[in-house]
Amino acid sequence: MNVLLLVIPLALALGTLGLFAFLWALRSGQYDDIEGAEYRVLHDD
Amino acid sequence: MCCTDMALAYVEAHASWSAANTKPSLERDYTAFMTRGPDGSTRAAFAVEGIRCASCMNAIERGLADLPGVAAARLNFSDRRLAVTWRPEAEPDVAAVLSALDALGFRAQLFDPGRHSDAETAETKRLITALAVAGFASMNVMLLAISVWAGNVSDMTSENRDLFHWIQAVIALPAAAYAGRPFYEGAFRGLRAGRVTMDFPITLGVVLTLVMSVVESLSGATHAYFDGAVMLLFFLLIGRVLEQSMRRRTRMLAENLAALRSEGATVVDADGALRDVPASELVPGARILVRPGERIPADGVVERGMSDLDHSLVTGETAAVSVSGGDSVFAGALNGNGALTVRVTAAAGASLLDEVETLMRRALEARSRALVLADRATRLYVPLVHAAAALTLAGWLAAGAGWHTALLSAVAVLIVTCPCALGLAIPAVQVVSAGALFREGVLLNDGTALERFAEIDTIVFDKTGTLTLPEPSLTHGDRDETGALSVAARLALSSRHPMAAALAKAADGAEPFPDAQEAAGLGVRAIVEAVELRLGSARFCGAEAEAAAALADNPDASVICFRAGDAPPIVFPVHQALRPQAAEVVGALLSSDRRVLILSGDRASAVEAVAARLGVTEWEAGLTPREKIARIESLQRAGRRVLMVGDGLNDAPALAAAHASLSPVTAAHVSQAAADALFLGRSLTPVLAVLDAGTRARRLMLQNLWFSAAYNLLAVPLAAAGCLTPLIAALAMSGSSVIVTLNALRARASSAGVRPAPVAITGRPASPPAIPLLQGHP
């Protein structure tokens, strides 16, 4: 069961990474215009 | 136009009625609208009208990027706002941006930076961050909790179980401390104000669950409830975020509309220079220029010029009032055919706005609205649940169990009854109903208004601007028997008088006469083929007798006269036509056994004509704001639940006093702020839509509340008996939340039943298409 000591911190670290990625995206305004983003992705420039 | 979006077309149809106000016609000073960034760049925000699809967005951003000095132009498609940034070294040229947008076919208006609702945006971000933390925590805690549940029925060692419990504690405790703050603060605020809000049982439940779980983990027990606590916060935060984003989006759109209707005022400086400033920056003593066709931005005294004023938005009176030097004018009055220089007065003494505001304050204080459902549910719920917990404790002690078991069971009761479903039951319905109403063209100011709409049995209409359209039109349509109409209409193109605008609509694309001159306060004249054409007041055209005859025939009309040379003058009666479907809506209200009244500030003959056409027998005319509010109050004292529908400044106190209120979006600002909901567009059908949506929302809320009660009835005995395992708690909690939310979604159901059957909805789509406003992505 010693593997747990490796796997659980790993899982938590990955989860925390995801949380901080989301918070960063929120803070940098990426959710301010969700509707516009879906159209912007289609433009070449 | 690259695509069609009917709901947006609504927004435009009513916003463009004051198009004359927003054309940049002179050098203006826009500095009051600018904000400076830390790097010296200048930013300005615009509300843009007419954006319908992705290519509009592209066209705007590319078109503006080429302008000199513009560093970036970015359009927010969700709230239809454009942010333009100029390079630090460049001189910001707002007029160039406005004319570039105009050339692209979009109308835009600068935003007053003071309007930006930064606090609102910050609150939304805070809630979403809390939601993210709670989501992260509940996922990870659940991962560990499920392992424990599986381990409990197989071969998990107690050391491992304790380790898992402690890891859960390490995640759940800080996460709950952070993510639960909106609830803890709400509970604390409520307690300080001497009230028990729904936040209180939530806080109590979360804190007790965590404390008990820590105690249990310390003693190495098989069960800990960390997952329940964070999951509860996660579900409740979803409700909060939805509610908040609904409110923010509605407010954003309402602000766009307000900006497009132009809040500006033109200030005349001491040296005669003109500057455009936001109306909110006007100070008493300032001199402002009000051009023909503009609305007066503030109360004041006329210094120079003479003109006719249309007070229909202020008093409901449709007949024009002549003003000249020394007369007082009120904010909201529409200027006729002469430019006025007005000195802004301090809002002192007996001005109309003062009286309205005093009355409104009184009405708001006296408003003893019935407790909303959520409050009543809380009042019932809190003592019942806490009594159940106390009984459990006493019961176990009496049965001879130890303190440990007794306390554990009592806390379990509090956990399982923690108002997860109850917390979602009402906001979910409000959010979904507000979204459905938005598609009908109604912006809801206040979510709790839905329940009040459900109880309405009496509807009081204002006449001017509410039952009738805000802009005048020709009484006899555009039948042109003598050919005079087309000439008069061409001449009317040169006038900015609102009544002339009605006539100008019949011009059918003709060019205005080249040398037409507007004689301030009188009318327009032009010499065409050596014949002098005149259009304007009866006096100006020498048509007093004909005008009096026409007024006798059309009691609710005003007249505009036309004369070609020495030919006999022609009189065009102009009146404010009924809104489309007004008769059908009133008919539907009457046939649903509701009482319908008209309370108007206009003259009796005009009100009588409208009342007769609509089949309304109860009407009163010439009412002051004080009398309107008195009528509403006496109706409510007689036990009626009154819905007030009105737009004028004089309606604002009545709107505040009524049980529920509704305003067209063309209403005066004070009234818009007082109303529970605003409706867009020209038709009156939103009145039926809100009543129907209210009834449906109330039904769904009650269903949800009953469901929560039934769930508690089932869960409490289980918890009291000590049979509540974390697995059962988790299932019950998430199951009930999902059911309540799904039930709320039924508020989206097509409102086909809203419109009265006999209405011929010709020229209007049967179901207005959806704007994915609140639900994000369909």
Side-chain angles (χ1 to χ4, degrees):
Chain A
M1 279 295 164
N2 282 341
V3 72
L4 279 180
L5 296 178
L6 178 69
V7 175
I8 291 177
L10 202 64
L12 289 181
L14 285 175
T16 319
L17 201 69
L19 175 66
F20 277 98
F22 174 76
L23 292 182
W24 167 79
L26 182 70
R27 217 153 278 162
S28 64
Q30 307 213 13
Y31 293 93
D32 287 355
D33 182 15
I34 301 175
E35 242 178 289
E38 75 195 37
Y39 297 119
R40 268 176 223 280
V41 75
L42 298 173
H43 291 308
D44 299 330
D45 44 18
Chain B
M1 289 301 153
C2 30
C3 55
T4 50
D5 187 330
M6 286 302 294
L8 274 176
Y10 274 160
V11 176
E12 280 152 38
H14 65 77
S16 55
W17 66 278
S18 61
N21 293 7
T22 52
K23 292 265 183 262
S25 54
L26 53 93
E27 275 302 299
R28 289 180 177 185
D29 177 12
Y30 292 106
T31 44
F33 293 100
M34 305 288 187
T35 48
R36 280 213 172 268
D39 56 345
S41 60
T42 322
R43 283 172 60 90
F46 299 80
V48 187
E49 185 189 340
I51 302 167
R52 285 138 187 256
C53 63
S55 30
C56 307
M57 176 169 83
N58 228 18
I60 291 179
E61 292 189 350
R62 284 199 199 156
L64 293 184
D66 297 340
L67 289 177
V70 171
R74 191 167 172 96
L75 185 83
N76 187 325
F77 195 80
S78 312
D79 47 23
R80 264 82 182 172
R81 286 186 189 177
L82 173 73
V84 178
T85 316
W86 283 271
R87 277 188 283 277
E89 71 278 6
E91 186 62 30
D93 188 356
V94 170
V97 170
L98 286 177
S99 61
L101 285 171
D102 201 41
L104 290 167
F106 300 98
R107 233 162 54 71
Q109 185 66 33
L110 267 176
F111 251 111
D112 179 352
R115 300 187 74 89
H116 286 292
S117 38
D118 285 336
E120 198 91 344
T121 314
E123 177 63 16
T124 311
K125 283 214 168 143
R126 192 173 87 113
L127 282 175
I128 294 179
T129 314
L131 179 68
V133 170
F136 161 82
S138 57
M139 275 190 288
N140 285 288
V141 170
M142 193 53 86
L143 186 83
L144 297 160
I146 290 174
S147 313
V148 174
W149 301 343
N152 276 343
V153 292
S154 55
D155 58 349
M156 190 181 229
T157 62
S158 59
E159 292 80 31
N160 270 340
R161 191 175 58 219
D162 288 348
L163 172 67
F164 273 40
H165 279 164
W166 285 118
I167 299 176
Q168 289 182 41
V170 167
I171 304 169
L173 291 176
Y178 178 78
R181 266 182 10 202
F183 304 104
Y184 311 149
E185 286 165 9
F188 188 65
R189 263 199 310 273
L191 282 183
R192 242 192 342 204
R195 285 179 298 120
V196 172
T197 57
M198 204 48 114
D199 286 336
F200 178 71
I202 293 171
T203 306
L204 196 68
V206 169
V207 170
L208 279 179
T209 313
L210 291 172
V211 169
M212 184 182 92
S213 301
V214 171
V215 171
E216 289 289 280
S217 303
L218 274 175
S219 64
T222 45
H223 294 315
Y225 298 81
F226 294 109
D227 58 295
V230 282
M231 196 166 61
L232 177 72
L233 285 177
F234 181 59
F235 279 129
L236 289 170
L237 279 167
I238 291 178
R240 285 285 160 102
V241 167
L242 282 177
E243 212 183 339
Q244 173 72 13
S245 61
M246 162 188 88
R247 237 179 301 151
R248 185 165 152 260
R249 288 289 191 93
T250 326
R251 194 158 310 167
M252 286 266 194
L253 281 166
E255 278 178 7
N256 279 6
L257 291 172
L260 283 166
R261 287 180 58 207
S262 179
E263 283 272 298
T266 309
V267 171
V268 188
D269 283 338
D271 56 358
L274 297 178
R275 282 187 304 129
D276 212 36
V277 300
S280 55
E281 292 199 359
L282 284 179
V283 287
R287 282 163 68 225
I288 49 175
L289 175 72
V290 185
R291 278 157 293 192
E294 288 184 344
R295 274 191 195 279
I296 294 182
D299 287 4
V301 178
V302 176
E303 275 203 343
R304 247 209 347 261
M306 54 182 292
S307 179
D308 292 338
L309 292 186
D310 174 0
H311 276 109
S312 59
L313 197 57
V314 185
T315 60
E317 167 71 55
T318 45
V321 179
S322 294
V323 293
S324 54
D327 289 338
S328 305
V329 291
F330 301 114
L334 187 60
N335 189 12
N337 49 7
L340 294 173
T341 306
V342 175
R343 188 164 41 78
V344 179
T345 50
S351 97
L352 182 66
L353 192 63
D354 276 349
E355 190 194 338
V356 163
E357 279 184 350
T358 320
L359 285 173
M360 258 183 70
R361 229 184 351 260
R362 219 196 64 203
L364 286 171
E365 279 164 9
R367 177 154 69 179
S368 59
R369 280 180 173 162
L371 280 176
V372 287
L373 279 175
D375 292 340
R376 275 192 295 187
T378 314
R379 288 211 171 169
L380 215 65
Y381 168 91
V382 174
L384 268 181
V385 163
H386 293 180
L391 271 180
T392 309
L393 183 72
W396 278 99
L397 284 177
W403 274 99
H404 181 252
T405 322
L407 267 178
L408 210 63
S409 302
V411 172
V413 169
L414 285 178
I415 294 171
V416 82
T417 53
C418 202
C420 193
L422 212 52
L424 279 172
I426 288 170
V429 176
Q430 283 176 354
V431 169
V432 178
S433 300
L437 271 178
F438 181 81
R439 286 189 291 275
E440 303 270 342
V442 178
L443 301 176
L444 205 60
N445 272 347
D446 181 2
T448 64
L450 282 167
E451 304 162 25
R452 285 184 267 122
F453 284 132
E455 297 165 349
I456 296 303
D457 56 9
T458 306
I459 293 103
V460 173
F461 285 104
D462 168 48
K463 181 186 76 76
T464 317
T466 306
L467 285 172
T468 64
L469 289 166
E471 72 272 32
S473 60
L474 287 176
T475 304
H476 300 308
D478 45 7
R479 271 176 305 158
D480 193 2
E481 279 135 10
T482 56
L485 178 61
S486 61
V487 183
R490 254 183 97 183
L491 192 54
L493 287 172
S494 308
S495 170
R496 295 178 78 171
H497 194 287
M499 274 166 60
L503 199 54
K505 273 188 228 145
D508 255 349
E511 292 287 308
F513 289 114
D515 57 348
Q517 286 177 332
E518 187 150 16
L522 296 168
V524 220
R525 90 181 107 201
I527 313 275
V528 178
E529 292 161 8
V531 178
E532 188 191 35
L533 305 179
R534 284 175 169 226
L535 178 76
S537 65
R539 189 158 45 88
F540 184 56
C541 302
E544 278 95 342
E546 288 86 347
L551 280 177
D553 286 345
N554 303 286
D556 60 337
S558 310
V559 291
I560 182 164
C561 305
F562 172 72
R563 186 164 205 169
D566 294 329
I570 297 165
V571 172
F572 296 103
V574 170
H575 79 316
Q576 290 173 314
L578 286 180
R579 279 184 187 267
Q581 278 125 39
E584 289 89 340
V585 169
V586 170
L589 291 173
L590 286 170
S591 63
S592 65
D593 275 343
R594 292 181 167 107
R595 206 168 139 193
V596 177
L597 294 93
I598 299 177
L599 299 181
S600 175
D602 204 358
R603 55 194 192 276
S605 56
V607 182
E608 187 177 14
V610 167
R613 231 173 301 159
L614 292 174
V616 177
T617 49
E618 294 180 84
W619 57 268
E620 281 185 79
L623 297 176
T624 64
R626 191 177 295 276
E627 288 165 341
K628 279 199 183 193
I629 202 172
R631 297 294 187 284
I632 301 263
E633 280 171 353
S634 72
L635 278 170
Q636 305 211 115
R637 266 197 303 277
R640 315 291 301 189
R641 301 281 195 188
V642 179
L643 170 70
M644 173 78 201
V645 190
D647 74 322
L649 187 63
N650 59 330
D651 297 318
L655 288 168
H659 190 58
S661 49
L662 187 65
S663 273
V665 77
T666 46
H669 290 293
V670 189
S671 305
Q672 289 199 7
D676 290 321
L678 301 178
F679 67 92
L680 313 177
R682 297 164 71 84
S683 166
L684 204 60
T685 43
V687 176
L688 295 178
V690 294
L691 293 179
D692 186 72
T695 316
R696 196 168 46 221
R698 190 183 157 83
R699 200 178 57 231
L700 289 172
M701 285 175 191
L702 284 174
Q703 279 173 9
N704 277 354
L705 290 177
W706 280 118
F707 171 79
S708 307
Y711 152 80
N712 278 334
L713 225 57
L714 222 70
V716 168
L718 212 64
C723 307
L724 184 75
T725 64
L727 177 63
I728 295 176
L731 282 179
M733 219 177 259
S734 47
S736 63
S737 301
V738 168
I739 290 177
V740 163
T741 311
L742 287 179
N743 191 35
L745 284 179
R746 298 200 305 143
R748 294 173 72 168
S750 115
S751 41
V754 170
R755 297 194 184 84
V759 178
I761 315 168
T762 44
R764 222 195 135 198
S767 66
I771 299 186
L773 173 78
L774 303 167
Q775 277 75 36
H777 303 276

